């Protein structure tokens, strides 16, 4: 019985080792037949309209730029890939001009709406081809009762982090669907 258990443990170890190595070797990058990567954010894309100074640590621009540089590999001799943040906004229900955009809240509550909008554009004028992906993610968070600015900031940071993951997934899917003229493999 002991020998059987020992063989199962050895087999399990080898199996999981193989799975781990296989996963490390697998390539989840996107290879595009374009030459240049450009980040051109819309002017004043960042719009925080809140009644208090939130302490937000999440940096959408840095997250998207880092992800793009790691995920997308450019293999072409011409053309460009443009990544553009169009909107990064946080609006709260305490700002009078936006009060009508929020559902019913008691007097001791505050709500936030967060919007992210990113456009990815691939252009190659030599081949007369272009493709575009627009990803929009919206989130909202309501706080009832007394929450400190630090507590609200922490929760909003977590919400923004999950929204950025969704943005990345949407962009990845969009590129795979819309950039068929530009997709290549790592060996080209």
């Amino acid at each position: 019985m002991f020998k059987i258990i020992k063989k199962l443990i050895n087999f399990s170890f080898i199996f999981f080792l193989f799975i781990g190595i296989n996963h490390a070797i697998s390539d989840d990058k996107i290879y595009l037949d374009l030459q240049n990567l450009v980040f051109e954010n819309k002017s004043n894309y960042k719009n925080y309209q809140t009644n208090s100074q939130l302490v937000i640590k999440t940096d959408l621009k840095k997250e998207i730029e880092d992800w793009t540089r790691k995920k997308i590999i450019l293999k072409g001799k011409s053309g460009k890939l443009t990544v553009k943040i169009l909107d990064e906004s946080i609006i709260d229900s305490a700002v009078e001009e936006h009060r009508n955009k929020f559902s019913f809240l008691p007097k001791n509550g505050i709500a936030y709406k967060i919007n992210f909008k990113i456009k990815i554009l691939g252009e190659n004028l030599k081949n007369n081809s272009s493709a575009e992906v627009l990803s929009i993610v919206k989130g909202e968070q309501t706080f009832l009762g007394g929450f400190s600015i630090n507590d609200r900031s922490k929760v909003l940071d977590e919400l923004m982090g999950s929204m950025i993951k969704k943005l990345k997934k949407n962009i990845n899917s969009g590129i795979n669907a819309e950039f068929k003229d530009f997709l290549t493999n790592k060996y080209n």
Side-chain angles (χ1 to χ4, degrees):
M1 180 73 162
F2 181 74
K3 289 181 182 182
I4 294 172
I5 293 173
K6 187 175 179 182
K7 285 183 181 182
L8 282 174
I9 291 173
N10 287 339
F11 175 76
S12 297
F13 175 76
I14 292 170
F15 176 76
F16 286 113
L17 180 64
F18 175 76
I19 296 279
I21 291 171
N22 193 25
H23 178 68
I25 294 173
S26 71
D27 197 17
D28 65 343
K29 298 192 182 311
I30 298 172
Y31 295 89
L32 297 177
D33 188 19
L34 293 167
Q35 184 178 24
N36 297 315
L37 175 61
V38 179
F39 295 98
E40 293 178 357
N41 298 324
K42 181 179 173 186
S43 61
N44 300 322
Y45 72 91
K46 196 172 202 173
N47 181 19
Y48 289 8
Q49 295 183 33
T50 63
N51 72 336
S52 59
Q53 207 56 8
L54 296 169
V55 185
I56 301 293
K57 295 176 184 170
T58 304
D59 186 350
L60 176 65
K61 180 181 177 201
K62 182 181 179 332
E63 290 280 337
I64 293 301
E65 287 181 6
D66 289 350
W67 178 82
T68 303
R69 286 187 177 102
K70 288 177 187 171
K71 181 77 173 176
I72 299 174
I73 308 298
L74 303 180
K75 305 285 286 180
K77 296 185 183 350
S78 63
K80 74 176 180 177
L81 180 71
T82 304
V83 178
K84 191 173 203 174
I85 300 174
L86 302 175
D87 183 25
E88 176 187 353
S89 60
I90 300 177
I91 300 170
D92 73 23
S93 62
V95 177
E96 197 63 43
E97 67 188 86
H98 300 292
R99 200 174 278 287
N100 64 348
K101 295 179 184 176
F102 291 86
S103 58
F104 173 76
L105 282 173
K107 287 185 179 182
N108 64 345
I110 188 168
Y112 294 89
K113 288 190 183 272
I114 303 173
N115 299 309
F116 292 157
K117 185 189 289 186
I118 295 181
K119 183 195 301 189
I120 310 290
L121 178 65
E123 298 175 295
N124 192 337
L125 299 177
K126 286 185 178 180
N127 299 348
N128 199 24
S129 58
S130 67
E132 181 178 312
V133 172
L134 180 66
S135 180
I136 301 171
V137 177
K138 299 179 180 215
E140 54 183 68
Q141 181 66 48
T142 302
F143 297 93
L144 300 175
F147 286 88
S148 71
I149 291 172
N150 288 337
D151 290 341
R152 286 184 275 151
S153 298
K154 183 178 177 183
V155 171
L156 290 177
D157 262 331
E158 290 172 5
L159 176 60
M160 290 171 75
S162 66
M163 289 173 63
I164 289 171
K165 286 179 185 174
K166 190 172 181 182
L167 263 178
K168 292 173 183 176
K169 184 178 177 186
N170 291 350
I171 291 168
N172 192 38
S173 298
I175 287 175
N176 285 326
E178 300 297 326
F179 279 62
K180 291 184 177 161
D181 290 343
F182 298 110
L183 291 176
T184 185
N185 63 43
K186 65 181 173 181
Y187 303 109
N188 286 352

